[in-house]
Amino acid sequence: MLTEAVKKTIQTAYSTWLEARGLTARYGQRLMIAEIAKSVAGVFLDTEGNRCGEPGICVVEAGTGTGKTVAYTLAALPVAQSLGKKLVIATATVALQEQIVYRDFPDIKKNSGLKFEYGLAKGRGRYLCLSKLDTLLSGSDNQGMALALYPDEEAAPLTGEALGTYQSMLDGLADGSWDGDRDNWPDIMPDPVWRPITTDHAQCTGRRCAHITECLYFKARENLDDIDCIIANQDLVLADLALGGGAILPAPEDCIYVFDEGHQLPDKALNHFANKTRVSASRKWLDQTRQALAGLAKDAEGDADIQRLLEQMNKSVDELQHQLQNVWEWLESAIQEHGEADGENEGMRWRLEGGHVPDQLAQYAIVLAASYDRLAQLADRLSGLLDDALAGRGEKLTKAEGELWYPLAGQIAQRAKNTEALWLSYRRADPAGQPPKARWMSFIAFTGGVEIELASTPIMAADSLTEQLWKRCCGAVITSATLTALQSFDRFVTRSGVPESSQKLVVPSPFDYFNAASLHVPAMKIDPGDNLAHNQLIIDMMPQLVAPAEGTLVLFSSRRQMLAVYEGLQSDTRDLVLLQDNYSKQVLIKRHQELIDQGQSSIIFGLASFAEGIDLPGNYCTHVVIAKLPFAVPDDPVEATLADWIKDRGGNPFMEISVPDAAIKLVQASGRLLRKEDDRGRITLLDRRVVSRRYGKALLDSLPNYRREIENWN
């Protein structure tokens, strides 16, 4: 329960912070602090500090300008300290994570009077691996260092430019100007250059590494046990849960979590629990594995145990190659017979309705799952023998050779386990009465060849999050500006699995939406379902939608429409457009801001990623144009499987999925306009369905109280 002492600490911290900042209390922020504190403190712990009963969970929708970071920190941190738990703040992006660490928390610590220590947590993949870099620069011929499963995982050739970058890294580490964190490197770091010099959980030799005392990842994390608050991101939390919890971060039982931008948590969880594999790429990877094992066999001559194990692994690789050839032939024929055109990949896709797997494919899956399991077990045994070498107990391999080859064994084991999980999903039937998994196969044509990809993913993350997170954590806060859909938390509760007993709260934004912004729906006789006519309408209207020296953001729900409108514009208007596909997001926003600062007009054409998470305050965005209501693409395999399941249960997929999802996306898109209390502007929606269809009123009512300007037909 919330004790008087903790309540007093929170109240004092808030008043102290307000006074130091010269601010007055905001109703929404005060309400958020009170409800979070009451919820997360409402847990019972036994004498050993373990939670008894329900976790303390608070779901808070807080509008822009509420001051969410201050509210959840001042409320949850004193509670966590009083319970002896860690506060883990999980953001949606690394950028927001760093904003909290380097801007928000120094301010809170300085001005609130609270005594606490905090630190930043990132995964191994964000840090340079000194062992990998040392091996690379030493010129060791280790074919096992980078077994690429997909083309985009191929390492860049070791060119003079790459070598120069690596040498600059060493210089930066030596003079203290760089800490080994990829995000702190001063220049753009291409993935092919970075990938060979970082590692993951499976490949890291841990305490046996020759560079352990200088390890940049462990240095960055060495104080996490001694601090009160860890600032992580949602992907890192989910990765930790996937490893059982407590592998990367403290165990869930010892944590109170805050999920900032928490509306993204269910979708991020789906991505973490999804499985994919490509058949042709898998065969290529097996060829690379065989070559790498040959290199290890050469170094391990005379080591009878390793040689016997390598013979078994080679046999397992050969069996998998044969099995994958058989399944390729069956899949190629089946997709051509049952598949439909897949415009996204310029190939064909076969979605298994209801997730039901054909008997023949299930039989292939049984065999392949067993074979990958066998390879994973052998690779784990190889890791054990190489660990002996690292410890100086090897029969022939030296410690240096053990360190060189250990990552190979870990990588083979991890790849095999990941691929086994995909085939297990195709082997096992979904439990009766439970939502099925979405399963589909794609035949992809690309320059230089063809590929078959198989995918399997849950259609909702509720069960996985319930088992791995909600049932285990001490408490949690989920907050965002968009957690309700159609003025209800039902959608989020269904998809996230948060307990029904969780406290749910909508905190009003301090913004005066009615006087700050207008929502304009022009008179149009074109239905957005007529793509060509709707595109032409937008092309014709665009010049009148742009004002001189104004920042305009035009949001499209499909790349095809965005490009069609862009190409159809007259040159004088098109010259004002910054197209998402032509720039990185950072470069595009910087260019846009420079043009506005120079008193010029600038128009951003963007897709979904620009409808959420970008900040263009003041004059940088005074007009948001939404080309079409953001309904999901109807042929998305996950959404289609979810729709089938709802329909089979007697529901209405359009009203239960499509409309609520569109409502949230519409709120997010319109929310790009007002980022500060003194911002002003207008929103134009080029879709009359909000007034012509029965569901339109619900969509309009889900928006903030913008001043409505809906033109009549005549």
Side-chain angles (χ1 to χ4, degrees), residues 106-230:
D107 168 65
I108 293 171
K109 186 173 182 179
K110 176 182 177 182
N111 295 312
S112 70
L114 290 178
K115 304 298 182 183
F116 65 98
E117 299 298 327
Y118 60 92
L120 181 67
K122 300 181 184 180
R124 280 182 175 84
R126 308 307 298 179
Y127 293 94
L128 171 73
C129 173
L130 292 170
S131 178
K132 287 282 192 77
L133 182 61
D134 183 46
T135 300
L136 194 67
L137 294 179
S138 70
S140 299
D141 184 20
N142 181 12
Q143 301 176 36
M145 284 190 64
L147 296 178
L149 183 57
Y150 301 128
D152 59 2
E153 294 180 346
E154 296 282 358
L158 197 56
T159 62
E161 183 178 357
L163 283 171
T165 299
Y166 296 150
Q167 186 58 53
S168 297
M169 288 179 174
L170 290 176
D171 294 340
L173 292 171
D175 63 23
S177 61
W178 186 51
D179 59 359
D181 184 337
R182 179 180 181 174
D183 299 309
N184 294 335
W185 184 248
D187 300 318
I188 294 174
M189 177 64 65
D191 284 344
V193 175
W194 178 255
R195 192 174 296 111
I197 55 171
T198 190
T199 191
D200 58 26
H201 180 76
Q203 300 179 65
C204 179
T205 57
R207 299 297 173 184
R208 300 200 188 282
C209 178
H211 299 275
I212 186 60
T213 57
E214 299 89 24
C215 178
L216 303 165
Y217 169 72
F218 282 110
K219 276 188 175 181
R221 301 175 57 79
E222 61 187 4
N223 68 332
L224 292 188
D225 290 338
D226 302 321
I227 62 179
D228 304 283
C229 182
I230 299 171

Side-chain angles (χ1 to χ4, degrees), residues 23 93 96-97 135 156 202 210 312 330 351 381 402 415 441 517 530 548 562 585 600 660 669 703-704 707:
L23 301 172
T93 63
L96 180 55
Q97 188 181 4
T135 300
Q312 295 176 55
W330 187 89
R351 181 178 70 86
R381 287 171 55 191
R415 291 289 198 191
M441 288 146 281
D530 186 344
M562 181 179 73
K585 183 182 288 188
Q600 302 181 47
L703 292 169
R707 190 172 62 257

Side-chain angles (χ1 to χ4, degrees), residues 82 272 279 365 381 449 483 510 559 619 682 699 705:
S82 70
H272 274 267
V279 180
R381 287 171 55 191
L483 286 173
R559 176 171 275 102
N619 292 331
R682 67 195 191 280
L699 292 177
N705 186 32

